[in-house]
PDB file of all heavy atoms in Angstrom:
ATOM      1  N   TYR A   1     -28.786 -30.738  10.480  1.00  0.00           N
ATOM      2  CA  TYR A   1     -28.055 -31.272   9.327  1.00  0.00           C
ATOM      3  C   TYR A   1     -26.651 -31.698   9.768  1.00  0.00           C
ATOM      4  O   TYR A   1     -25.678 -30.979   9.546  1.00  0.00           O
ATOM      5  CB  TYR A   1     -27.954 -30.194   8.210  1.00  0.00           C
ATOM      6  CG  TYR A   1     -29.277 -29.629   7.808  1.00  0.00           C
ATOM      7  CD1 TYR A   1     -29.671 -28.361   8.256  1.00  0.00           C
ATOM      8  CD2 TYR A   1     -30.124 -30.323   6.976  1.00  0.00           C
ATOM      9  CE1 TYR A   1     -30.887 -27.829   7.874  1.00  0.00           C
ATOM     10  CE2 TYR A   1     -31.339 -29.795   6.581  1.00  0.00           C
ATOM     11  CZ  TYR A   1     -31.713 -28.545   7.039  1.00  0.00           C
ATOM     12  OH  TYR A   1     -32.915 -28.015   6.670  1.00  0.00           O
ATOM     13  N   PRO A   2     -26.528 -32.868  10.398  1.00  0.00           N
ATOM     14  CA  PRO A   2     -25.190 -33.284  10.893  1.00  0.00           C
ATOM     15  C   PRO A   2     -24.228 -33.589   9.732  1.00  0.00           C
ATOM     16  O   PRO A   2     -24.526 -34.398   8.856  1.00  0.00           O
ATOM     17  CB  PRO A   2     -25.478 -34.514  11.716  1.00  0.00           C
ATOM     18  CG  PRO A   2     -26.796 -35.015  11.213  1.00  0.00           C
ATOM     19  CD  PRO A   2     -27.557 -33.848  10.683  1.00  0.00           C
ATOM     20  N   ASP A   3     -23.110 -32.909   9.719  1.00  0.00           N
ATOM     21  CA  ASP A   3     -21.992 -33.103   8.786  1.00  0.00           C
ATOM     22  C   ASP A   3     -22.406 -33.090   7.314  1.00  0.00           C
ATOM     23  O   ASP A   3     -22.036 -33.973   6.536  1.00  0.00           O
ATOM     24  CB  ASP A   3     -21.252 -34.404   9.120  1.00  0.00           C
ATOM     25  CG  ASP A   3     -19.843 -34.385   8.549  1.00  0.00           C
ATOM     26  OD1 ASP A   3     -19.293 -33.284   8.316  1.00  0.00           O
ATOM     27  OD2 ASP A   3     -19.285 -35.453   8.290  1.00  0.00           O
ATOM     28  N   TYR A   4     -23.115 -32.078   6.918  1.00  0.00           N
ATOM     29  CA  TYR A   4     -23.461 -31.873   5.507  1.00  0.00           C
ATOM     30  C   TYR A   4     -22.545 -30.804   4.922  1.00  0.00           C
ATOM     31  O   TYR A   4     -22.136 -29.896   5.628  1.00  0.00           O
ATOM     32  CB  TYR A   4     -24.900 -31.376   5.359  1.00  0.00           C
ATOM     33  CG  TYR A   4     -25.943 -32.451   5.472  1.00  0.00           C
ATOM     34  CD1 TYR A   4     -26.408 -32.893   6.706  1.00  0.00           C
ATOM     35  CD2 TYR A   4     -26.478 -33.025   4.314  1.00  0.00           C
ATOM     36  CE1 TYR A   4     -27.369 -33.858   6.800  1.00  0.00           C
ATOM     37  CE2 TYR A   4     -27.455 -34.009   4.413  1.00  0.00           C
ATOM     38  CZ  TYR A   4     -27.880 -34.419   5.650  1.00  0.00           C
ATOM     39  OH  TYR A   4     -28.831 -35.404   5.743  1.00  0.00           O
ATOM     40  N   PRO A   5     -22.252 -30.878   3.619  1.00  0.00           N
ATOM     41  CA  PRO A   5     -21.476 -29.800   3.000  1.00  0.00           C
ATOM     42  C   PRO A   5     -22.300 -28.520   2.927  1.00  0.00           C
ATOM     43  O   PRO A   5     -23.525 -28.567   2.926  1.00  0.00           O
ATOM     44  CB  PRO A   5     -21.160 -30.337   1.600  1.00  0.00           C
ATOM     45  CG  PRO A   5     -22.118 -31.423   1.342  1.00  0.00           C
ATOM     46  CD  PRO A   5     -22.575 -31.947   2.676  1.00  0.00           C
ATOM     47  N   MET A   6     -21.598 -27.407   2.814  1.00  0.00           N
ATOM     48  CA  MET A   6     -22.259 -26.112   2.735  1.00  0.00           C
ATOM     49  C   MET A   6     -21.679 -25.342   1.572  1.00  0.00           C
ATOM     50  O   MET A   6     -20.600 -25.625   1.084  1.00  0.00           O
ATOM     51  CB  MET A   6     -22.067 -25.334   4.037  1.00  0.00           C
ATOM     52  CG  MET A   6     -22.726 -25.980   5.254  1.00  0.00           C
ATOM     53  SD  MET A   6     -22.524 -24.963   6.729  1.00  0.00           S
ATOM     54  CE  MET A   6     -23.647 -23.623   6.349  1.00  0.00           C
ATOM     55  N   GLU A   7     -22.425 -24.321   1.129  1.00  0.00           N
ATOM     56  CA  GLU A   7     -21.961 -23.381   0.131  1.00  0.00           C
ATOM     57  C   GLU A   7     -22.180 -21.970   0.668  1.00  0.00           C
ATOM     58  O   GLU A   7     -23.108 -21.764   1.445  1.00  0.00           O
ATOM     59  CB  GLU A   7     -22.723 -23.531  -1.180  1.00  0.00           C
ATOM     60  CG  GLU A   7     -22.375 -24.780  -1.938  1.00  0.00           C
ATOM     61  CD  GLU A   7     -23.087 -24.872  -3.286  1.00  0.00           C
ATOM     62  OE1 GLU A   7     -23.846 -23.933  -3.651  1.00  0.00           O
ATOM     63  OE2 GLU A   7     -22.916 -25.914  -3.948  1.00  0.00           O
ATOM     64  N   LEU A   8     -21.334 -21.073   0.246  1.00  0.00           N
ATOM     65  CA  LEU A   8     -21.431 -19.683   0.671  1.00  0.00           C
ATOM     66  C   LEU A   8     -21.566 -18.828  -0.594  1.00  0.00           C
ATOM     67  O   LEU A   8     -20.802 -19.004  -1.542  1.00  0.00           O
ATOM     68  CB  LEU A   8     -20.181 -19.293   1.429  1.00  0.00           C
ATOM     69  CG  LEU A   8     -20.172 -17.994   2.185  1.00  0.00           C
ATOM     70  CD1 LEU A   8     -21.253 -18.002   3.267  1.00  0.00           C
ATOM     71  CD2 LEU A   8     -18.817 -17.756   2.810  1.00  0.00           C
ATOM     72  N   GLN A   9     -22.577 -17.995  -0.591  1.00  0.00           N
ATOM     73  CA  GLN A   9     -22.763 -17.069  -1.725  1.00  0.00           C
ATOM     74  C   GLN A   9     -22.461 -15.659  -1.232  1.00  0.00           C
ATOM     75  O   GLN A   9     -23.056 -15.191  -0.262  1.00  0.00           O
ATOM     76  CB  GLN A   9     -24.201 -17.164  -2.217  1.00  0.00           C
ATOM     77  CG  GLN A   9     -24.448 -16.360  -3.481  1.00  0.00           C
ATOM     78  CD  GLN A   9     -25.874 -16.539  -3.985  1.00  0.00           C
ATOM     79  OE1 GLN A   9     -26.813 -16.443  -3.218  1.00  0.00           O
ATOM     80  NE2 GLN A   9     -25.993 -16.752  -5.270  1.00  0.00           N
ATOM     81  N   LEU A  10     -21.487 -15.010  -1.900  1.00  0.00           N
ATOM     82  CA  LEU A  10     -21.075 -13.655  -1.526  1.00  0.00           C
ATOM     83  C   LEU A  10     -21.474 -12.707  -2.637  1.00  0.00           C
ATOM     84  O   LEU A  10     -21.357 -13.046  -3.820  1.00  0.00           O
ATOM     85  CB  LEU A  10     -19.563 -13.592  -1.361  1.00  0.00           C
ATOM     86  CG  LEU A  10     -18.953 -14.578  -0.351  1.00  0.00           C
ATOM     87  CD1 LEU A  10     -17.437 -14.555  -0.474  1.00  0.00           C
ATOM     88  CD2 LEU A  10     -19.374 -14.236   1.053  1.00  0.00           C
ATOM     89  N   TRP A  11     -21.923 -11.511  -2.293  1.00  0.00           N
ATOM     90  CA  TRP A  11     -22.266 -10.519  -3.316  1.00  0.00           C
ATOM     91  C   TRP A  11     -22.214  -9.118  -2.723  1.00  0.00           C
ATOM     92  O   TRP A  11     -22.315  -8.935  -1.521  1.00  0.00           O
ATOM     93  CB  TRP A  11     -23.613 -10.799  -3.956  1.00  0.00           C
ATOM     94  CG  TRP A  11     -24.810 -10.543  -3.058  1.00  0.00           C
ATOM     95  CD1 TRP A  11     -25.507  -9.397  -2.953  1.00  0.00           C
ATOM     96  CD2 TRP A  11     -25.420 -11.465  -2.153  1.00  0.00           C
ATOM     97  NE1 TRP A  11     -26.525  -9.529  -2.049  1.00  0.00           N
ATOM     98  CE2 TRP A  11     -26.503 -10.803  -1.533  1.00  0.00           C
ATOM     99  CE3 TRP A  11     -25.149 -12.794  -1.800  1.00  0.00           C
ATOM    100  CZ2 TRP A  11     -27.298 -11.419  -0.602  1.00  0.00           C
ATOM    101  CZ3 TRP A  11     -25.961 -13.395  -0.869  1.00  0.00           C
ATOM    102  CH2 TRP A  11     -27.035 -12.690  -0.272  1.00  0.00           C
ATOM    103  N   ALA A  12     -22.048  -8.164  -3.631  1.00  0.00           N
ATOM    104  CA  ALA A  12     -22.080  -6.766  -3.248  1.00  0.00           C
ATOM    105  C   ALA A  12     -23.551  -6.322  -3.225  1.00  0.00           C
ATOM    106  O   ALA A  12     -24.271  -6.543  -4.204  1.00  0.00           O
ATOM    107  CB  ALA A  12     -21.277  -5.917  -4.226  1.00  0.00           C
ATOM    108  N   ARG A  13     -23.999  -5.732  -2.132  1.00  0.00           N
ATOM    109  CA  ARG A  13     -25.372  -5.225  -2.037  1.00  0.00           C
ATOM    110  C   ARG A  13     -25.516  -3.885  -2.753  1.00  0.00           C
ATOM    111  O   ARG A  13     -26.590  -3.541  -3.198  1.00  0.00           O
ATOM    112  CB  ARG A  13     -25.789  -5.044  -0.573  1.00  0.00           C
ATOM    113  CG  ARG A  13     -25.931  -6.314   0.187  1.00  0.00           C
ATOM    114  CD  ARG A  13     -26.608  -6.114   1.559  1.00  0.00           C
ATOM    115  NE  ARG A  13     -26.339  -4.879   2.222  1.00  0.00           N
ATOM    116  CZ  ARG A  13     -25.283  -4.635   3.013  1.00  0.00           C
ATOM    117  NH1 ARG A  13     -24.409  -5.547   3.203  1.00  0.00           N
ATOM    118  NH2 ARG A  13     -25.149  -3.473   3.605  1.00  0.00           N
ATOM    119  N   GLN A  14     -24.444  -3.127  -2.786  1.00  0.00           N
ATOM    120  CA  GLN A  14     -24.437  -1.844  -3.463  1.00  0.00           C
ATOM    121  C   GLN A  14     -23.113  -1.710  -4.206  1.00  0.00           C
ATOM    122  O   GLN A  14     -22.174  -2.451  -3.939  1.00  0.00           O
ATOM    123  CB  GLN A  14     -24.570  -0.703  -2.461  1.00  0.00           C
ATOM    124  CG  GLN A  14     -25.889  -0.629  -1.748  1.00  0.00           C
ATOM    125  CD  GLN A  14     -25.930   0.545  -0.779  1.00  0.00           C
ATOM    126  OE1 GLN A  14     -25.131   1.461  -0.835  1.00  0.00           O
ATOM    127  NE2 GLN A  14     -26.877   0.485   0.154  1.00  0.00           N
ATOM    128  N   GLN A  15     -23.075  -0.766  -5.108  1.00  0.00           N
ATOM    129  CA  GLN A  15     -21.846  -0.519  -5.854  1.00  0.00           C
ATOM    130  C   GLN A  15     -20.736  -0.118  -4.883  1.00  0.00           C
ATOM    131  O   GLN A  15     -20.911   0.747  -4.051  1.00  0.00           O
ATOM    132  CB  GLN A  15     -22.077   0.617  -6.840  1.00  0.00           C
ATOM    133  CG  GLN A  15     -20.826   1.158  -7.469  1.00  0.00           C
ATOM    134  CD  GLN A  15     -21.046   2.475  -8.176  1.00  0.00           C
ATOM    135  OE1 GLN A  15     -22.175   2.832  -8.512  1.00  0.00           O
ATOM    136  NE2 GLN A  15     -19.980   3.218  -8.407  1.00  0.00           N
ATOM    137  N   PRO A  16     -19.544  -0.752  -5.008  1.00  0.00           N
ATOM    138  CA  PRO A  16     -18.400  -0.303  -4.191  1.00  0.00           C
ATOM    139  C   PRO A  16     -18.038   1.139  -4.595  1.00  0.00           C
ATOM    140  O   PRO A  16     -18.170   1.503  -5.770  1.00  0.00           O
ATOM    141  CB  PRO A  16     -17.290  -1.260  -4.565  1.00  0.00           C
ATOM    142  CG  PRO A  16     -17.962  -2.442  -5.157  1.00  0.00           C
ATOM    143  CD  PRO A  16     -19.235  -1.923  -5.792  1.00  0.00           C
ATOM    144  N   LEU A  17     -17.608   1.911  -3.633  1.00  0.00           N
ATOM    145  CA  LEU A  17     -17.230   3.317  -3.899  1.00  0.00           C
ATOM    146  C   LEU A  17     -15.789   3.524  -3.551  1.00  0.00           C
ATOM    147  O   LEU A  17     -15.296   3.041  -2.520  1.00  0.00           O
ATOM    148  CB  LEU A  17     -18.110   4.268  -3.094  1.00  0.00           C
ATOM    149  CG  LEU A  17     -19.572   4.263  -3.470  1.00  0.00           C
ATOM    150  CD1 LEU A  17     -20.384   5.166  -2.524  1.00  0.00           C
ATOM    151  CD2 LEU A  17     -19.789   4.696  -4.899  1.00  0.00           C
ATOM    152  N   LEU A  18     -15.081   4.284  -4.391  1.00  0.00           N
ATOM    153  CA  LEU A  18     -13.682   4.604  -4.187  1.00  0.00           C
ATOM    154  C   LEU A  18     -13.530   6.105  -4.136  1.00  0.00           C
ATOM    155  O   LEU A  18     -14.145   6.831  -4.947  1.00  0.00           O
ATOM    156  CB  LEU A  18     -12.838   4.019  -5.322  1.00  0.00           C
ATOM    157  CG  LEU A  18     -11.342   4.300  -5.224  1.00  0.00           C
ATOM    158  CD1 LEU A  18     -10.721   3.435  -4.133  1.00  0.00           C
ATOM    159  CD2 LEU A  18     -10.690   4.059  -6.554  1.00  0.00           C
ATOM    160  N   SER A  19     -12.743   6.598  -3.207  1.00  0.00           N
ATOM    161  CA  SER A  19     -12.431   8.036  -3.184  1.00  0.00           C
ATOM    162  C   SER A  19     -10.909   8.161  -3.113  1.00  0.00           C
ATOM    163  O   SER A  19     -10.232   7.423  -2.382  1.00  0.00           O
ATOM    164  CB  SER A  19     -13.097   8.746  -2.009  1.00  0.00           C
ATOM    165  OG  SER A  19     -12.690   8.210  -0.782  1.00  0.00           O
ATOM    166  N   CYS A  20     -10.381   9.085  -3.902  1.00  0.00           N
ATOM    167  CA  CYS A  20      -8.938   9.326  -3.985  1.00  0.00           C
ATOM    168  C   CYS A  20      -8.561  10.513  -3.115  1.00  0.00           C
ATOM    169  O   CYS A  20      -9.188  11.558  -3.216  1.00  0.00           O
ATOM    170  CB  CYS A  20      -8.524   9.590  -5.420  1.00  0.00           C
ATOM    171  SG  CYS A  20      -8.922   8.258  -6.570  1.00  0.00           S
ATOM    172  N   HIS A  21      -7.563  10.328  -2.274  1.00  0.00           N
ATOM    173  CA  HIS A  21      -7.038  11.381  -1.433  1.00  0.00           C
ATOM    174  C   HIS A  21      -5.535  11.460  -1.648  1.00  0.00           C
ATOM    175  O   HIS A  21      -4.921  10.478  -2.089  1.00  0.00           O
ATOM    176  CB  HIS A  21      -7.376  11.117   0.045  1.00  0.00           C
ATOM    177  CG  HIS A  21      -8.847  11.036   0.308  1.00  0.00           C
ATOM    178  ND1 HIS A  21      -9.610  12.132   0.571  1.00  0.00           N
ATOM    179  CD2 HIS A  21      -9.684   9.984   0.307  1.00  0.00           C
ATOM    180  CE1 HIS A  21     -10.872  11.753   0.754  1.00  0.00           C
ATOM    181  NE2 HIS A  21     -10.936  10.455   0.585  1.00  0.00           N
ATOM    182  N   PRO A  22      -4.899  12.571  -1.324  1.00  0.00           N
ATOM    183  CA  PRO A  22      -3.458  12.662  -1.575  1.00  0.00           C
ATOM    184  C   PRO A  22      -2.640  11.599  -0.857  1.00  0.00           C
ATOM    185  O   PRO A  22      -1.633  11.136  -1.366  1.00  0.00           O
ATOM    186  CB  PRO A  22      -3.091  14.056  -1.025  1.00  0.00           C
ATOM    187  CG  PRO A  22      -4.353  14.827  -1.076  1.00  0.00           C
ATOM    188  CD  PRO A  22      -5.458  13.812  -0.867  1.00  0.00           C
ATOM    189  N   ASP A  23      -3.105  11.157   0.312  1.00  0.00           N
ATOM    190  CA  ASP A  23      -2.309  10.173   1.083  1.00  0.00           C
ATOM    191  C   ASP A  23      -2.733   8.727   0.866  1.00  0.00           C
ATOM    192  O   ASP A  23      -1.977   7.811   1.173  1.00  0.00           O
ATOM    193  CB  ASP A  23      -2.403  10.508   2.570  1.00  0.00           C
ATOM    194  CG  ASP A  23      -3.823  10.399   3.110  1.00  0.00           C
ATOM    195  OD1 ASP A  23      -4.761  10.596   2.320  1.00  0.00           O
ATOM    196  OD2 ASP A  23      -4.000  10.098   4.315  1.00  0.00           O
ATOM    197  N   ALA A  24      -3.933   8.483   0.335  1.00  0.00           N
ATOM    198  CA  ALA A  24      -4.412   7.103   0.233  1.00  0.00           C
ATOM    199  C   ALA A  24      -5.647   7.009  -0.650  1.00  0.00           C
ATOM    200  O   ALA A  24      -6.267   8.046  -0.984  1.00  0.00           O
ATOM    201  CB  ALA A  24      -4.740   6.558   1.637  1.00  0.00           C
ATOM    202  N   LEU A  25      -6.023   5.787  -0.957  1.00  0.00           N
ATOM    203  CA  LEU A  25      -7.280   5.499  -1.638  1.00  0.00           C
ATOM    204  C   LEU A  25      -8.196   4.891  -0.596  1.00  0.00           C
ATOM    205  O   LEU A  25      -7.777   4.021   0.170  1.00  0.00           O
ATOM    206  CB  LEU A  25      -7.076   4.483  -2.770  1.00  0.00           C
ATOM    207  CG  LEU A  25      -6.102   4.924  -3.875  1.00  0.00           C
ATOM    208  CD1 LEU A  25      -5.876   3.760  -4.829  1.00  0.00           C
ATOM    209  CD2 LEU A  25      -6.670   6.108  -4.622  1.00  0.00           C
ATOM    210  N   HIS A  26      -9.450   5.347  -0.547  1.00  0.00           N
ATOM    211  CA  HIS A  26     -10.416   4.825   0.414  1.00  0.00           C
ATOM    212  C   HIS A  26     -11.547   4.152  -0.357  1.00  0.00           C
ATOM    213  O   HIS A  26     -12.056   4.721  -1.314  1.00  0.00           O
ATOM    214  CB  HIS A  26     -10.972   5.951   1.307  1.00  0.00           C
ATOM    215  CG  HIS A  26      -9.914   6.638   2.095  1.00  0.00           C
ATOM    216  ND1 HIS A  26      -9.386   6.101   3.242  1.00  0.00           N
ATOM    217  CD2 HIS A  26      -9.263   7.804   1.893  1.00  0.00           C
ATOM    218  CE1 HIS A  26      -8.470   6.933   3.722  1.00  0.00           C
ATOM    219  NE2 HIS A  26      -8.379   7.966   2.919  1.00  0.00           N
ATOM    220  N   GLY A  27     -11.904   2.961   0.101  1.00  0.00           N
ATOM    221  CA  GLY A  27     -13.006   2.259  -0.543  1.00  0.00           C
ATOM    222  C   GLY A  27     -14.027   1.811   0.457  1.00  0.00           C
ATOM    223  O   GLY A  27     -13.713   1.524   1.607  1.00  0.00           O
ATOM    224  N   THR A  28     -15.272   1.750   0.013  1.00  0.00           N
ATOM    225  CA  THR A  28     -16.375   1.264   0.842  1.00  0.00           C
ATOM    226  C   THR A  28     -16.991   0.060   0.151  1.00  0.00           C
ATOM    227  O   THR A  28     -17.378   0.135  -1.025  1.00  0.00           O
ATOM    228  CB  THR A  28     -17.441   2.359   1.038  1.00  0.00           C
ATOM    229  OG1 THR A  28     -16.837   3.468   1.670  1.00  0.00           O
ATOM    230  CG2 THR A  28     -18.584   1.859   1.915  1.00  0.00           C
ATOM    231  N   LEU A  29     -17.055  -1.052   0.850  1.00  0.00           N
ATOM    232  CA  LEU A  29     -17.607  -2.268   0.325  1.00  0.00           C
ATOM    233  C   LEU A  29     -18.801  -2.692   1.161  1.00  0.00           C
ATOM    234  O   LEU A  29     -18.698  -2.842   2.388  1.00  0.00           O
ATOM    235  CB  LEU A  29     -16.543  -3.396   0.375  1.00  0.00           C
ATOM    236  CG  LEU A  29     -15.212  -3.077  -0.275  1.00  0.00           C
ATOM    237  CD1 LEU A  29     -14.203  -4.145   0.072  1.00  0.00           C
ATOM    238  CD2 LEU A  29     -15.366  -2.951  -1.772  1.00  0.00           C
ATOM    239  N   LEU A  30     -19.974  -2.829   0.525  1.00  0.00           N
ATOM    240  CA  LEU A  30     -21.182  -3.251   1.219  1.00  0.00           C
ATOM    241  C   LEU A  30     -21.579  -4.597   0.625  1.00  0.00           C
ATOM    242  O   LEU A  30     -22.030  -4.665  -0.515  1.00  0.00           O
ATOM    243  CB  LEU A  30     -22.287  -2.222   1.019  1.00  0.00           C
ATOM    244  CG  LEU A  30     -21.944  -0.783   1.472  1.00  0.00           C
ATOM    245  CD1 LEU A  30     -23.091   0.152   1.109  1.00  0.00           C
ATOM    246  CD2 LEU A  30     -21.662  -0.732   2.937  1.00  0.00           C
ATOM    247  N   GLY A  31     -21.374  -5.647   1.407  1.00  0.00           N
ATOM    248  CA  GLY A  31     -21.622  -6.971   0.862  1.00  0.00           C
ATOM    249  C   GLY A  31     -22.502  -7.823   1.755  1.00  0.00           C
ATOM    250  O   GLY A  31     -22.825  -7.430   2.897  1.00  0.00           O
TER     251      GLY A  31
END
């Protein structure tokens, strides 16, 4: 496909998870 436009589809495969700690917030993103 020489010089054709493209599209990108992004999505989360699983629910993002957040954990709260005294020093920081930690998140896990599975996409």
